[in-house]
Amino acid sequence: MSNAVIPPPLGRDDLGPDTTPVAYETDGAVAYVTLNRPDYRNAQNSVMTYSLDAAFGKAVDDASVKVIVLRANGKHFSAGHDIGTPERDFDTFYPNTATLHWDHTRGDGQPLDSNQRLAREIEVYMGMCRRWREIPKPVIAQVHGACIAGGLMLAWSADFIVASDDAFFSDPVARMGIPGVEYFAHAFVLGARRAKEILFTGQRFTAAQALDWGMVNHVVPRDELQAKVDELCAQMTEMPMQGLFLSKKAVNICEDQMGMRNAMDSVFGWHHFAHAANDADSGDSLGGMDAKSMKNAAEKKA
């Protein structure tokens, strides 16, 4: 565990336009929630994740906000979960928000055991992403640069994705012996055969491919990304809130009736079998991979 000073997660009253690790600002009826760890490619440590949760809550509570945009500062949207920065804080206690399991922290800087790892990922990954999917206001993911593994979870929790033409995506965690990230929406957002291809190969795919496969809604030049998102926001803010909320519920219900929620629960179990198997075999729940080796493998593949 690093000796880096980890700030507490930001409460709803603490969020502002210049706050790290998540910035929050509004413009009319639109709330902009901005990932703000650009030096670490917006890797998601716990303080970022809990602050992100607070930002979404602030936007939901604000009656003047009708649409939420999730975007990022720096060169990349998100490199995924933080598995190696000096501010990695998997062992730091933060108030349990999703209340789906008990506290996962140890307090001694040692790796989590299987029960603690399960508790953490139910709370911080699966639980939060599921709640964010059900936010009662439209959420647009504005994606540029890298959107890797845990970055996909953030984008897939949104209602739709607008990407710049320099965006690229991947879920390479099969290199860890793990069947994809915790929020396993792959077969629903990509289709079964494309999902298998990106998982089996660990390959990156481009914004143009993601558009062709139906994962993103629009791809535009990087310098036109914000304008395109704002254009869509302007159209949605003209709609009544009840129409937006009920339409979102209707589509989400259809996905769940097609099996998305139950499938995700099943795969989450296999995900944690993989962590436990790795730990039993080598003492490393990530199968010997770290941020650097994952990045190197991806660049070699590309």
Side-chain angles (χ1 to χ4, degrees):
M1 183 67 179
S2 167
N3 292 323
V5 176
I6 304 298
L10 303 169
R12 297 181 190 183
D13 294 335
D14 304 320
L15 295 159
D18 300 315
T19 307
T20 56
V22 173
Y24 181 92
E25 56 192 312
T26 60
D27 184 3
V30 181
Y32 295 94
V33 176
T34 308
L35 306 178
N36 198 27
R37 293 186 76 209
D39 291 346
Y40 300 113
R41 303 198 303 166
N42 291 308
Q44 304 154 27
N45 59 359
S46 291
V47 67
M48 170 184 273
T49 305
Y50 280 91
S51 299
L52 185 58
D53 192 62
F56 285 140
K58 185 179 180 73
V60 170
D61 286 345
D62 187 343
S64 68
V65 169
K66 296 180 75 172
V67 179
I68 303 166
V69 175
L70 174 62
R71 61 187 183 180
N73 282 333
K75 294 174 62 177
H76 300 287
F77 179 74
S78 178
H81 302 325
D82 187 341
I83 60 173
T85 81
E87 297 173 358
R88 188 183 184 202
D89 57 347
F90 69 93
D91 200 37
T92 303
F93 173 78
Y94 298 117
N96 192 315
T97 302
T99 59
L100 297 173
H101 217 290
W102 51 76
D103 173 42
H104 63 267
T105 53
R106 291 175 56 107
D108 58 6
Q110 298 302 307
L112 306 181
D113 64 27
S114 294
N115 282 331
Q116 290 162 333
R117 190 179 306 112
L118 176 66
R120 171 177 169 73
E121 295 197 355
I122 286 177
E123 159 79 359
V124 179
Y125 300 151
M126 177 76 89
M128 287 192 181
C129 284
R130 276 184 164 169
R131 287 191 299 107
W132 297 339
R133 174 178 176 256
E134 297 297 332
I135 287 171
K137 298 179 180 181
V139 181
I140 301 175
Q142 177 181 315
V143 177
H144 70 279
C147 181
I148 308 297
L152 289 173
M153 292 172 53
L154 298 185
W156 289 348
S157 296
D159 295 302
F160 57 88
I161 302 168
V162 181
S164 62
D165 54 7
D166 67 345
F168 60 92
F169 309 85
S170 75
D171 184 358
V173 301
R175 293 194 180 99
M176 299 176 174
I178 298 171
V181 290
E182 296 83 356
Y183 185 82
F184 196 88
H186 304 57
F188 292 87
V189 299
L190 288 164
R193 297 192 185 281
R194 291 297 185 188
K196 289 178 181 178
E197 181 180 353
I198 70 147
L199 288 166
F200 293 179
T201 65
Q203 72 181 27
R204 294 176 176 179
F205 55 101
T206 65
Q209 288 173 306
L211 180 66
D212 184 51
W213 300 345
M215 195 192 90
V216 306
N217 297 73
H218 302 278
V219 175
V220 297
R222 175 69 174 272
D223 60 0
E224 297 176 17
L225 180 60
Q226 188 65 61
K228 181 62 178 180
V229 169
D230 290 343
E231 173 192 330
L232 292 166
C233 289
Q235 294 173 9
M236 286 187 286
T237 56
E238 295 299 316
M239 301 290 283
M241 277 303 306
Q242 179 172 300
L244 294 170
F245 167 65
L246 292 179
S247 295
K248 177 167 183 169
K249 291 293 290 184
V251 177
N252 284 2
I253 287 168
C254 289
E255 284 188 313
D256 289 339
Q257 287 294 317
M258 289 186 284
M260 180 172 169
R261 187 177 184 88
N262 288 339
M264 203 174 284
D265 282 335
S266 296
V267 178
F268 191 69
W270 289 113
H271 183 101
H272 277 274
F273 163 79
H275 275 313
N278 285 344
D279 197 38
D281 291 343
S282 67
D284 180 2
S285 65
L286 301 182
M289 301 297 288
D290 58 18
K292 183 176 181 180
S293 60
M294 293 287 281
K295 182 174 182 289
N296 289 343
E299 289 177 346
K300 181 178 180 181
K301 196 75 176 179

